[in-house]
């Protein structure tokens, strides 16, 4: 399987702060054309396009051609995988902290 046909990992896609900012921008609107997205970054159109391509490969954004421009919108569904993973560890740590608190109280009395 070559790199182009491989689905990009959601965790890898959101690891970069620029891509997280792109996701946040797209979460606030229905869709945006590339030229409106680019003005919010201190990098060129090509660099922003590459970040959007990574998000698209992870199925986090959907691109739609309208004439000569490409418009992007958020597809938040793949983020559920991250939410599920974080939720598991949130419960894990709450349980551990609860156990440690009980142990501390036992040793104090």
């Amino acid at each position: 399987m070559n790199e182009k046909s491989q689905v990009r990992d959601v965790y890898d896609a959101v690891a970069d702060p620029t891509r997280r900012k792109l996701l946040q921008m797209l979460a606030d609107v229905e869709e945006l054309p590339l030229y409106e997205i680019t003005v919010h970054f201190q990098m060129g159109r090509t660099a922003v396009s590459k970040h959007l391509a990574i998000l698209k490969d992870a199925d986090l954004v959907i691109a739609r051609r309208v004439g000569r421009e490409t418009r992007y919108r958020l597809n938040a569904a793949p983020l559920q995988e991250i939410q599920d993973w974080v939720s598991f560890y949130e419960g894990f740590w709450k349980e551990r902290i609860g156990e440690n608190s009980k142990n501390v109280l036992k040793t104090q009395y």
Side-chain angles (χ1 to χ4, degrees):
M1 184 183 276
N2 68 30
E3 190 176 317
K4 286 285 185 190
S5 66
Q6 201 171 7
V7 175
R8 187 171 294 272
D9 182 66
V10 174
Y11 297 96
D12 181 45
V14 301
D16 184 87
T18 299
R19 293 192 288 272
R20 290 193 302 269
K21 182 177 177 183
L22 284 165
L23 291 173
Q24 183 64 50
M25 285 178 58
L26 293 171
D28 294 336
V29 296
E30 187 173 327
E31 69 179 14
L32 283 173
L34 180 58
Y35 73 88
E36 284 187 32
I37 296 170
T38 304
V39 298
H40 297 279
F41 296 91
Q42 293 184 345
M43 62 181 76
R45 181 183 178 109
T46 302
V48 172
S49 290
K50 287 181 181 180
H51 283 290
L52 286 163
I54 290 169
L55 293 171
K56 186 178 175 195
D57 288 346
D59 203 27
L60 289 165
V61 297
I62 297 168
R64 180 174 73 97
R65 296 284 298 175
V66 178
R68 291 177 45 184
E69 74 179 13
T70 303
R71 301 179 67 83
Y72 294 90
R73 64 185 165 97
L74 176 67
N75 177 30
L79 294 172
Q80 185 63 49
E81 179 182 345
I82 295 172
Q83 176 63 39
D84 294 345
W85 185 79
V86 169
S87 292
F88 169 79
Y89 283 100
E90 182 180 31
F92 172 84
W93 285 113
K94 283 181 181 178
E95 183 179 314
R96 292 291 189 261
I97 290 170
E99 289 173 7
N100 287 340
S101 296
K102 289 176 188 175
N103 290 334
V104 168
L105 289 173
K106 285 180 184 177
T107 59
Q108 287 180 347
Y109 297 105

